Amino acid sequence: MTDEVPLGAEAMQGDAADPAFCAQAAQGAATVYHTINPPYDARLWADLLPRYMDNLIAAAGRTGARLVVLDNVYMLGRPGGRPLDEDTPPSPCSRKGAIRARAAQRLFEAHRRGDVLATAGRASDYYGPGGTLTYLGDPFWRPALTGKTVRVLVNPDAIHTYHYIPDVAAGLMALGCAEADVYGRPWMLPCAPAGTMRELAGRFSRRLGHEIKLARVPRWTVKAIGVFVPIMREVDEMLYQWDEPFVINDRRFRERFQQAPASPDDAAAATVAWAQQHYATASRAAAPE
């Protein structure tokens, strides 16, 4: 999400589908964090996600490191009127959800075999600093910052959990430093109470000083475009998450780690500040000399 390398970190370029690279990258690590996602294509996911998982299980196990995986909730399928939590059984209703379910099964089977000490932190849709490739990323901020109507592919009035990226990062850090009994099971990462995208846009608007107007792209339009544009087919498959309230229950994580998410207003302020700086910089870089 960002090209900046944090102070004290070392960047390594390589391919997680290559077992040798994963082994090299994991050398000397106490905790390996798996936050990789292939391009948004179910065919690529089916090929790459199992390879990434197997390679990182082997690499972490070989060096004695813990393995913390950032996961989504696709594998859980439709909520059916109930909040999603750690006890929600996998019930995927999409191709990508089924692929995620199989990858998670590989992870926890490896843990049970004793191959690696592993856990997963699960999150819903992201927003926040660095989040360019999300529903609240480039397609949202480019028009929002210039006062144009933002055309969204999801129902902006559906109750939905949106995870703030710094909360996700803090949650993963907590898992990576936790006691051994935390491992062997997934955790829902900390999140603010579920709300609508329109409410979130309202908080951004107050910080921007002008209203962010949202307009939903009709579902039939998404399907029609998907005939010619593969990424739209991939998006359409997942829009069931906005058909009913889609709520993540992070109570277990909060109780165990005493870690609460950022306040919605603080998260909105930080996100707007990042967006203003990031997209202004991007615009200058793209401008002809």
Side-chain angles (χ1 to χ4, degrees), residues 115-129:
D115 296 345
V116 68
L117 196 64
T119 186
R122 293 177 177 168
S124 185
D125 294 272
Y126 305 126
Y127 78 97

Side-chain angles (χ1 to χ4, degrees), residues 126-128 131-156 162 196-208 210-216 267-268 271-276 278-279:
Y126 305 126
Y127 78 97
T132 58
L133 301 178
T134 72
Y135 288 116
L136 291 154
D138 289 351
F140 182 92
W141 284 110
R142 292 189 190 281
L145 290 169
T146 58
K148 297 178 181 177
T149 297
V150 179
R151 305 200 176 276
V152 296
L153 301 177
V154 305
N155 179 1
Y162 295 95
T196 69
M197 182 181 285
R198 200 177 300 279
E199 291 169 344
L200 193 52
R203 286 194 288 273
F204 295 151
S205 297
R206 289 189 286 276
R207 291 290 175 172
L208 277 176
H210 68 255
E211 180 186 2
I212 298 174
K213 298 179 181 179
L214 305 181
R216 185 182 184 184
T271 302
V272 168
W274 162 77
Q276 290 173 318
H278 173 81
Y279 291 101

Side-chain angles (χ1 to χ4, degrees), residues 54-76:
D54 289 348
N55 291 346
L56 291 168
I57 288 170
R62 185 176 298 115
T63 197
R66 301 167 171 214
L67 179 58
V68 177
V69 176
L70 173 59
D71 210 344
N72 60 30
V73 291
Y74 289 6
M75 72 196 70
L76 304 182

Side-chain angles (χ1 to χ4, degrees), residues 16-99:
D18 176 5
F21 171 74
C22 291
Q24 178 189 6
Q27 285 182 1
T31 302
V32 172
Y33 290 93
H34 172 9
T35 62
I36 312 163
N37 210 28
Y40 208 63
D41 183 314
R43 291 173 298 177
L44 289 174
W45 280 30
D47 173 38
L48 292 173
L49 281 179
R51 293 164 63 188
Y52 291 168
M53 188 67 80
D54 289 348
N55 291 346
L56 291 168
I57 288 170
R62 185 176 298 115
T63 197
R66 301 167 171 214
L67 179 58
V68 177
V69 176
L70 173 59
D71 210 344
N72 60 30
V73 291
Y74 289 6
M75 72 196 70
L76 304 182
R78 297 179 181 274
R82 298 179 298 276
L84 301 173
D85 63 16
E86 291 84 354
D87 296 326
T88 304
S91 182
C93 59
S94 65
R95 295 169 301 161
K96 291 186 286 294
I99 294 164

Side-chain angles (χ1 to χ4, degrees), residues 135 152-154 216-239:
Y135 288 116
V152 296
L153 301 177
V154 305
R216 185 182 184 184
V217 177
R219 186 71 178 271
W220 66 265
T221 303
V222 176
K223 289 184 177 296
I225 296 173
V227 174
F228 306 101
V229 182
I231 185 65
M232 294 299 278
R233 293 198 295 273
E234 302 292 346
V235 169
D236 179 60
E237 179 187 46
M238 307 312 301
L239 293 183

